[in-house]
Amino acid sequence: MSDNSQDTIKYFEQRRNELNQDFSVVEPLYRKLSELFSPWTTRFSVDEIDILKSAKKIIDSIPFEVRRNFRSGMVTGVTSEADNWFRLSIFGVQKPSLATRQYLSNVEILFRAILSSGSFYSLQPQIYDDFGVYGLACHAVNRSFENVINFIKVPIGSFRYSKNMDGYIDTFCRIYQLSASQLKRDFGYDNLSQSAKNAIDNKKFSQKFTVVHFVETNDNYDKKLPWAKNKKFLSVIYEPSQSDPKKFLSVSGYDYMPYVVYQSNNNGECNYPCESCGINALPDLNQLFSMIKDKMKTIKKKVNPALRGGSNNKNKSRENVEYYVDEANGVGVQKAYEIEIQLNELSNEIAAKTESIKKHFYNDLFAMIINVQSKGQRTATEISELKEEKVALVAPTLNQVHDGLNQLFDILFEVCNAQGLLPEPPEEIQGMEIKVELVSTLAQAQKVSKLAGIERVGSLVANIAATARPAAMNKVKWLEYLDYYADAGNFPPDLLNDNDSIEEIERQQQEQAAQQQQQQQMLQALEQGSKIVDNIGGKDLIGSQLAERFGY
């Protein structure tokens, strides 16, 4: 068999080298970002990193502050567990039936339970952290018997990928380390390399070994066959040091790419992002650190300046020299030079650079979101406090995150359908596509202008009807108008009656009103008739009442 086939370790090692060459274009930039923003969250080498050494270039806490505010704002504004940040609908169905709404609600409940149990919400802040700095983030989606799906964060620098002609990731490679005991537990003793077996035999269970997980489009894909080796994506796990070229730790397959990658903009040719909050803020951060160093040097020279004095002070300690006075000539120790620098101006420049870095990470916008969310307010009026121009700035970032979340929901549908977890859909929507709409606080904030336009039309029609032409009220289909507004404002559809029900309620109310009016008219007629009888004459000649004679 040729080394170019998908059944040898050599083939995948060649493919990994090709992916490494692509990544080498952006690796220096990502390493620079790591040094200045987040040295502990990356893994460019499988070897253990020296945490203290990695952080030596960070001389101020502003990188940690802007990252914290960014990830907190994204969690609160996009995927808060306390918020219904997504909803399901059916493509092309504007007015779903009660059965359809109940089906979609049940699927939503299922998805929320899976995300909650699979550590999605505890992992997502780390994803936003990486995405803010690098414009790139990734988590693995592993099938689980207990939780259906488990999520694992993949550090920046430890994975590579490539895309197909449509721009979708079709090849993914991850390199990481496992201990000897983990290898034996996950893959079995017989599948291990000789070095890993030796570690087990010598009871060196904690010894680390490099492992590669490679996923790519399967050459033997056949959707008619149920076997793992014929799935859309081939998945192999192996030790690069394995001497046997065909001895993999694991060979399996997936109907989907088991890694979700969040990506920012690239230049159209490179697979990796070249724009992000961190990349855009990098020049400002370099200047900030430079100014902070200059300021500290200036303060140090003012507080602890260079001194000059007699030559007999040369070998004395600084503490003694500072207070030493030469008794022979009366000349004491003096400053070597005077420094006159306006620290206020430098402090103002530092503050300006700090604010610029915060704006690159949208900290001003996210502060407003957290403030609104903390009050428990989610109406369009409160969300409109998030100034439209600020929301417009974060819109591209939000759309990129939504692309990653849509990948996640595609996987959820695949896994739940394969395991038979999805409820039986109503007959009316069978075979139709389900649409996932993200309706978080930030997504709603983007719709504020849309809601305002709807309100303006309604107010205009009401004013014209009241002041100029009452028939203007008939121009608008008011029930559909309210449905459109409620949909744009993410109002829970279960709290709304459908239009047919409302029309039935109106019909019943009209019938009831007509009956009441008829009864009122009859009572008025009887009352008028009684008065007529009384006015005819009261009693007749023999003393009987006329009313009795007429049968009343």
Side-chain angles (χ1 to χ4, degrees), residues 330-380:
V331 178
V333 177
Q334 299 176 346
K335 292 181 180 180
Y337 46 81
E338 293 290 339
I339 299 178
E340 294 298 334
I341 296 180
Q342 298 296 328
L343 287 177
N344 288 337
E345 296 181 1
L346 189 54
S347 297
N348 291 338
E349 288 296 323
I350 290 175
K353 285 299 175 185
T354 300
E355 285 303 312
S356 178
I357 295 171
K358 289 181 178 180
K359 288 182 179 179
H360 281 301
F361 281 83
Y362 309 111
N363 281 187
D364 51 345
L365 170 64
F366 290 141
M368 298 171 65
I369 292 177
I370 294 172
N371 183 50
V372 170
Q373 196 82 347
S374 64
K375 296 178 181 177
Q377 300 169 331
R378 290 298 309 278
T379 65

Side-chain angles (χ1 to χ4, degrees), residues 193-204:
S193 64
Q194 189 57 50
S195 56
K197 290 180 179 179
N198 292 339
I200 296 293
D201 295 339
N202 296 323
K203 301 190 183 303
K204 296 180 179 180

Side-chain angles (χ1 to χ4, degrees), residues 108-125:
E108 286 182 16
I109 293 173
L110 172 65
F111 284 0
R112 295 185 201 284
I114 293 174
L115 292 176
S116 181
S117 64
S119 69
F120 171 81
Y121 291 106
S122 60
L123 181 71
Q124 207 61 14

Side-chain angles (χ1 to χ4, degrees), residues 78-176:
V78 181
T79 53
S80 173
E81 187 174 8
D83 187 19
N84 292 331
W85 54 273
F86 69 89
R87 66 182 179 188
L88 304 179
S89 60
I90 304 297
F91 272 110
V93 178
Q94 298 295 329
K95 299 177 181 179
S97 66
L98 178 61
T100 298
R101 294 204 307 271
Q102 187 61 51
Y103 168 78
L104 295 175
S105 176
N106 291 336
V107 176
E108 286 182 16
I109 293 173
L110 172 65
F111 284 0
R112 295 185 201 284
I114 293 174
L115 292 176
S116 181
S117 64
S119 69
F120 171 81
Y121 291 106
S122 60
L123 181 71
Q124 207 61 14
Q126 303 173 49
I127 295 297
Y128 293 139
D129 198 2
D130 282 353
F131 186 78
V133 175
Y134 307 95
L136 181 67
C138 175
H139 56 64
V141 183
N142 295 336
R143 291 169 292 201
S144 168
F145 290 107
E146 295 182 358
N147 302 321
V148 183
I149 284 177
N150 281 332
F151 299 90
I152 300 175
K153 179 181 178 294
V154 184
I156 297 294
S158 68
F159 63 91
R160 313 283 188 266
Y161 61 83
S162 65
K163 301 178 181 179
N164 59 21
M165 294 297 293
D166 297 323
Y168 296 105
I169 294 176
D170 63 354
T171 303
F172 191 96
C173 175
R174 176 192 175 198
I175 183 169
Y176 56 105

Side-chain angles (χ1 to χ4, degrees), residues 21 44 62 73 123 159 175 179 187 200 233 236 238 268 291 300 347 366 409 433 458:
Q21 291 178 5
F44 293 98
I62 187 64
L123 181 71
F159 63 91
I175 183 169
S179 66
F187 306 108
I200 296 293
F233 291 97
V236 297
Y238 63 90
M291 287 188 292
K300 182 177 181 180
S347 297
F366 290 141
F409 282 107
E433 187 175 354

Side-chain angles (χ1 to χ4, degrees), residues 5 24 41 71 80 101 106 118 128 298 369 372-373 431 446 466 477 522 530:
S5 64
S24 65
T41 63
R71 64 175 176 261
S80 173
R101 294 204 307 271
N106 291 336
Y128 293 139
T298 301
I369 292 177
V372 170
Q373 196 82 347
Q446 289 183 297
K477 299 178 180 179
M522 292 179 62
S530 299

Side-chain angles (χ1 to χ4, degrees), residues 526-545:
L526 287 174
E527 183 178 354
Q528 291 176 357
S530 299
K531 290 181 179 180
I532 292 173
V533 171
D534 289 340
N535 291 334
I536 289 178
K539 296 182 179 180
D540 62 6
L541 295 176
I542 59 177
S544 299
Q545 292 185 350

